[in-house]
Amino acid sequence: MTYVSCYYHAFSGKQKAETAANRICKVLAVNQENEQLMEDYEKLATDLLEWIRRTIPWLENRMPENTMQTMQQKLEDFRDYRRLHKPPKVQEKCQLEINFNTLQTKLRLSNRPAFMPSEGKMVSDINNAWGSLEGAEKGYEEWLLNEIRRLERLDHLAEKFRQKAAIHEAWTDGKEEMLQKHDYETASLSEIKALLKKHEAFESDLAAHQDRVEQIAAIAQELNELDYYDSPSVNARCQRICDQWDALGALTQKRSEALQRTEKLLETIDQLYLEFAKRAAPFNNWMEGAMEDLQDTFIVHTIEEIQGLSTAHEQFKATLPEADKERQAILGIHNEIAKIVQTYHVNMAGSNPYTTINPQEVNAKWDKVRQLVPQRDQALIEEHARQQNNERLRRQFANQANVIGPWIQTKMEEIGRISIEMHGTLEDQLTHLRQYEKSIVNYKPKIDQLEGDHQLIQEALIFDNKHTNYTMEHIRVGWEQLLTTIARTINEIENQILTRDAKGISQEQLNEYRASFNHFDRDHSGALGAEEFKACLISLGFDIANDAQGENEFSRIMSIVDPNRMGVVTFQAFIDFMSRETADTDTADQVIASFKVLAGDKNYILADELLRELPPDQAEYCMARMAPYTGPDGVPGALDYMSFSTALYGESDL
């Protein structure tokens, strides 16, 4: 127990020592930390106050600048200060206050006395300095903006001054030289009046520019009052403008007086110029019109037209003596003007302001008119001879055309009458028509002669002929129609003879058909319309009732007589139809019955039977065209005579 007690006391003392040491270390550490915080505060406060002391003088420097560019740079530097330099210092000030409060709290918790910063470095001192900084900063910003506005105003005024001065100087450029010109000394009265009007307009313009000069002077005065840095040059320029303005006023008055004196001097001469112009212009126009008429190319087509031109030309020549008197009077006015100018020594460099016509031009045109008169005489004589020749060609053509045209018309009517009338047999009519054809062909030389005359008319460029209603085109068309009609009529008679002979139609039947056809051919056109044809059929005994069945029957007949659907029926088609309807002709059924007899009553026929019963060439014709028989009762080599027979009459597709 004694040993244990000794060990206990020994270890207990050592533990107390360690506890004491720990406490001391802790106290020292707190003091060291507080001292470090105090040092940091002092350093931060010192740096921040030093920065404030350096910055405030920069913000309080309000020295004005002369140019907007320099002030803009200062404003940009201030913005950099607000954007880049001040924000870190705001953070430092905030951190300083945080450190100060933290330090005071730690001292209070460790039972230490409160921290007292060095003199002038209290938080309140820093806040006061910071307030001074912000006050200087606000004042500096206001000053910057005001100064920029002032410079902007000055720049605006200066630019306005320069613009107005430049405009005024551009307007006055050359004005002094213009006002000092002596152009009125050689001007005409109209030019003097124009110069006076122009000068009056200039005086009005000069008065209007008075406001600009006053504005320029007012702007210069305002720039002086605002202490513009370049005021000397502005004042010098303004003075030059004012001096020039006074000089322009004096020159304007002087030129106005000179123009008015010259105007009075020229008014007398102007009256003579005006009289010359009033008489010379109509006379000049008359001469130009006369020359134009005398040289005008004329196009006439008749003797009457050229005679009218000749009469008008003779009337014109009768006016020439009176025109020459007017010319002499006009030249007398010009001579009077020249005498006045010489007497009063007037400097007349210009010409007559009222006209461009001069005496030389009047005489030249008068001489030209006198030269053109005999030329016009000759042209009219030549044209008169040409028109006489043209008239001869017209009469020559008309004399022949007036004979040939009616002759063609007469022949056309005679041919139509022969084809319609029923005098004699068809052979007699054919003989008569061929005689007509021969007489028509023999008439061709007269047509050729007319063609020659027509060619002469065309070469002479004759476009009308009052002596005849016939043109060459009418004659040609009539001649071609005549030849075509006679040929067609002969062909129709020949076809009627063939039809008559083939069908066994008697001349009496043919005459009957022609009589019926002609009766219903109301317009004598040589063809029947559908309704005319129907009436003709009814008159011949055909049963064509006015109902559906009758219409179908008539449509069938029309398809036969008018296969091309032209809407008319010719006499040849009419004869073909009537002969087919009335004649005893073979039919397909009759041919089939005949073949059936040859075939021994069979439905087919053999080649041997054809060769035995028919001539060789006809038997070969049938064998080459008969199709093989396909019926059930057929034998090898059997031929179909039924389809062959129907094909002969167009009743099969073979």
Side-chain angles (χ1 to χ4, degrees):
M1 289 298 291
T2 300
Y3 284 118
V4 171
S5 175
C6 289
Y7 281 119
Y8 171 76
H9 286 291
F11 284 116
S12 175
K14 189 168 181 64
Q15 183 177 5
K16 290 180 180 179
E18 290 178 356
T19 301
N22 290 335
R23 181 178 293 110
I24 291 171
C25 290
K26 184 176 180 181
V27 170
L28 292 176
V30 170
N31 282 343
Q32 289 174 345
E33 183 179 356
N34 291 338
E35 288 176 358
Q36 184 63 45
L37 289 173
M38 293 176 188
E39 291 177 3
D40 292 343
Y41 176 86
E42 288 287 336
K43 185 175 184 310
L44 281 173
T46 301
D47 292 344
L48 184 59
L49 288 171
E50 180 63 25
W51 178 80
I52 292 173
R53 280 192 293 272
R54 288 197 313 271
T55 303
I56 287 177
W58 174 68
L59 294 173
E60 290 178 344
N61 180 15
R62 310 291 168 83
M63 183 64 67
E65 299 292 344
N66 292 331
T67 64
M68 176 66 76
Q69 184 178 1
T70 307
M71 290 306 298
Q72 289 285 359
Q73 185 58 48
K74 281 193 172 186
L75 181 61
E76 189 61 31
D77 294 342
F78 180 70
R79 288 172 178 165
D80 289 341
Y81 156 76
R82 295 286 296 269
R83 185 173 59 252
L84 301 176
H85 302 298
K86 184 179 178 182
K89 298 304 178 182
V90 174
Q91 294 295 328
E92 289 181 9
K93 176 177 176 299
C94 181
Q95 188 62 43
L96 188 69
E97 293 177 355
I98 291 172
N99 290 349
F100 181 80
N101 293 332
T102 301
L103 177 61
Q104 296 293 18
T105 300
K106 287 185 176 182
L107 290 174
R108 186 171 61 253
L109 293 175
S110 60
N111 293 319
R112 298 292 193 277
F115 170 66
M116 291 297 294
S118 302
E119 185 177 356
K121 297 180 182 178
M122 294 290 291
V123 172
S124 59
D125 295 330
I126 292 171
N127 287 335
N128 291 335
W130 188 265
S132 299
L133 174 69
E134 289 187 335
E137 180 181 306
K138 181 179 180 182
Y140 186 69
E141 183 178 20
E142 291 176 354
W143 174 78
L144 275 177
L145 296 176
N146 290 332
E147 191 65 16
I148 286 174
R149 281 193 290 269
R150 184 184 73 84
L151 288 176
E152 185 179 30
R153 170 66 177 166
L154 282 174
D155 285 349
H156 172 71
L157 286 173
E159 180 62 25
K160 188 175 181 180
F161 175 83
R162 285 190 289 271
Q163 287 181 355
K164 287 185 174 296
I167 292 172
H168 179 77
E169 289 166 349
W171 179 82
T172 58
D173 185 37
K175 293 293 189 296
E176 291 186 23
E177 291 80 1
M178 179 199 73
L179 293 171
Q180 292 172 348
K181 287 170 62 177
H182 291 175
D183 51 349
Y184 52 84
E185 292 180 353
T186 58
S188 63
L189 179 59
S190 59
E191 291 171 341
I192 285 293
K193 291 184 179 295
L195 289 174
L196 275 169
K197 293 294 183 182
K198 184 177 180 182
H199 189 69
E200 290 174 4
F202 173 77
E203 288 178 333
S204 299
D205 196 13
L206 187 71
H209 278 74
Q210 178 70 32
D211 290 342
R212 179 175 286 115
V213 175
E214 293 175 356
Q215 290 173 6
I216 291 172
I219 294 172
Q221 180 64 29
E222 188 173 359
L223 287 171
N224 287 325
E225 292 174 356
L226 292 175
D227 196 20
Y228 182 54
Y229 76 96
D230 198 20
S231 291
S233 65
V234 170
N235 293 334
R237 191 173 185 181
C238 180
Q239 188 61 44
R240 286 196 302 272
I241 289 172
C242 292
D243 293 343
Q244 186 186 36
W245 184 254
D246 295 338
L248 286 176
L251 290 173
T252 300
Q253 180 64 27
K254 183 178 179 181
R255 181 173 175 82
S256 177
E257 294 172 355
L259 289 172
Q260 291 174 2
R261 285 195 305 269
T262 306
E263 179 189 24
K264 292 179 181 179
L265 182 63
L266 296 178
E267 281 181 345
T268 302
I269 297 175
D270 179 70
Q271 295 298 322
L272 292 173
Y273 269 149
L274 181 59
E275 185 179 356
F276 177 88
K278 285 181 177 179
R279 298 183 68 171
F283 186 71
N284 183 68
N285 290 336
W286 177 85
M287 288 192 297
E288 289 180 348
M291 287 189 292
E292 183 179 352
D293 292 340
L294 290 170
Q295 298 177 91
D296 186 25
T297 57
F298 47 81
I299 299 177
V300 295
H301 301 97
T302 63
I303 291 290
E304 291 77 12
E305 289 179 356
I306 193 63
Q307 288 175 345
L309 289 176
S310 298
T311 301
H313 184 60
E314 292 300 324
Q315 292 173 351
F316 166 76
K317 289 194 293 184
T319 63
L320 290 178
E322 190 66 27
D324 189 42
K325 290 181 181 179
E326 178 66 12
R327 179 181 68 89
Q328 295 293 341
I330 292 171
L331 294 177
I333 295 173
H334 184 270
N335 293 334
E336 186 178 354
I337 293 172
K339 184 178 180 180
I340 293 174
V341 169
Q342 184 177 4
T343 301
Y344 295 99
H345 305 288
V346 180
N347 188 358
M348 296 298 296
S351 59
N352 192 327
Y354 300 109
T355 181
T356 58
I357 303 170
N358 55 58
Q360 295 78 15
E361 184 179 356
V362 171
N363 287 328
K365 289 183 178 180
W366 176 256
D367 293 340
K368 182 67 173 178
V369 170
R370 298 299 298 268
Q371 292 172 7
L372 290 173
V373 169
Q375 296 177 12
R376 183 72 169 187
D377 289 335
Q378 184 62 31
L380 290 172
I381 291 171
E382 293 174 356
E383 182 61 27
H384 190 271
R386 192 176 74 86
Q387 288 302 324
Q388 285 180 328
N389 184 61
N390 288 352
E391 184 66 12
R392 181 184 60 79
L393 292 175
R394 287 191 185 94
R395 291 183 181 277
Q396 182 175 318
F397 177 86
N399 291 337
Q400 296 184 75
N402 289 336
V403 173
I404 294 174
W407 181 86
I408 292 175
Q409 183 64 31
T410 301
K411 292 301 178 184
M412 288 286 289
E413 293 173 356
E414 290 176 354
I415 293 169
R417 191 162 55 250
I418 292 171
S419 64
I420 293 175
E421 293 176 352
M422 298 173 290
H423 298 308
T425 65
L426 292 177
E427 285 77 3
D428 294 337
Q429 295 179 26
L430 183 61
T431 301
H432 198 183
L433 286 172
R434 283 177 175 163
Q435 291 174 352
Y436 260 86
E437 184 179 32
K438 184 177 180 180
S439 66
I440 289 170
V441 172
N442 292 335
Y443 202 77
K444 182 66 164 60
K446 293 185 179 295
I447 303 295
D448 295 337
Q449 183 181 355
L450 189 65
E451 284 282 6
D453 292 341
H454 180 256
Q455 183 175 352
L456 293 176
I457 284 179
Q458 286 186 320
E459 291 172 354
L461 299 178
I462 300 172
F463 302 107
D464 57 354
N465 193 340
K466 65 180 181 179
H467 304 297
T468 180
N469 293 325
Y470 295 99
T471 65
M472 195 64 229
E473 185 63 27
H474 292 154
I475 299 297
R476 290 193 194 107
V477 172
W479 177 254
E480 292 169 359
Q481 288 179 346
L482 179 60
L483 294 176
T484 302
T485 301
I486 188 65
R488 186 187 302 117
T489 305
I490 289 173
N491 179 255
E492 288 178 356
I493 298 299
E494 290 174 342
N495 289 335
Q496 290 175 27
I497 292 173
L498 291 174
T499 303
R500 181 197 65 188
D501 295 343
K503 303 297 183 178
I505 302 174
S506 65
Q507 185 64 41
E508 290 74 14
Q509 285 180 303
L510 200 59
N511 291 341
E512 182 184 353
Y513 294 154
R514 169 56 76 179
S516 298
F517 188 89
N518 290 344
H519 176 74
F520 289 97
D521 183 13
R522 306 295 186 188
D523 54 0
H524 304 292
S525 62
L528 298 179
E531 292 301 321
E532 291 176 335
F533 180 57
K534 180 188 287 188
C536 183
L537 291 177
I538 294 173
S539 70
L540 292 173
F542 283 82
D543 185 14
I544 302 176
N546 194 16
D547 53 16
Q549 183 177 356
E551 289 298 326
N552 292 335
E553 176 63 14
F554 182 67
S555 297
R556 181 189 69 81
I557 295 173
M558 282 297 293
S559 66
I560 296 173
V561 298
D562 183 23
N564 296 324
R565 300 185 183 279
M566 301 297 291
V568 294
V569 180
T570 64
F571 183 63
Q572 184 62 42
F574 177 70
I575 293 176
D576 291 341
F577 171 74
M578 293 303 297
S579 62
R580 193 162 50 240
E581 290 293 322
T582 59
D584 182 16
T585 58
D586 295 330
T587 64
D589 291 338
Q590 292 172 339
V591 175
I592 291 173
S594 299
F595 272 115
K596 195 166 187 177
V597 171
L598 298 180
D601 208 30
K602 299 191 299 292
N603 292 327
Y604 59 87
I605 193 169
L606 299 175
D608 294 340
E609 293 171 338
L610 289 171
L611 291 170
R612 183 178 68 246
E613 301 292 342
L614 297 175
D617 56 341
Q618 293 183 352
E620 291 294 338
Y621 177 83
C622 293
M623 288 187 292
R625 287 165 174 75
M626 283 186 180
Y629 180 71
T630 57
D633 55 341
V635 297
L639 298 174
D640 187 354
Y641 61 80
M642 293 184 181
S643 62
F644 173 76
S645 300
T646 56
L648 289 176
Y649 291 88
E651 301 175 11
S652 171
D653 296 332
L654 294 178

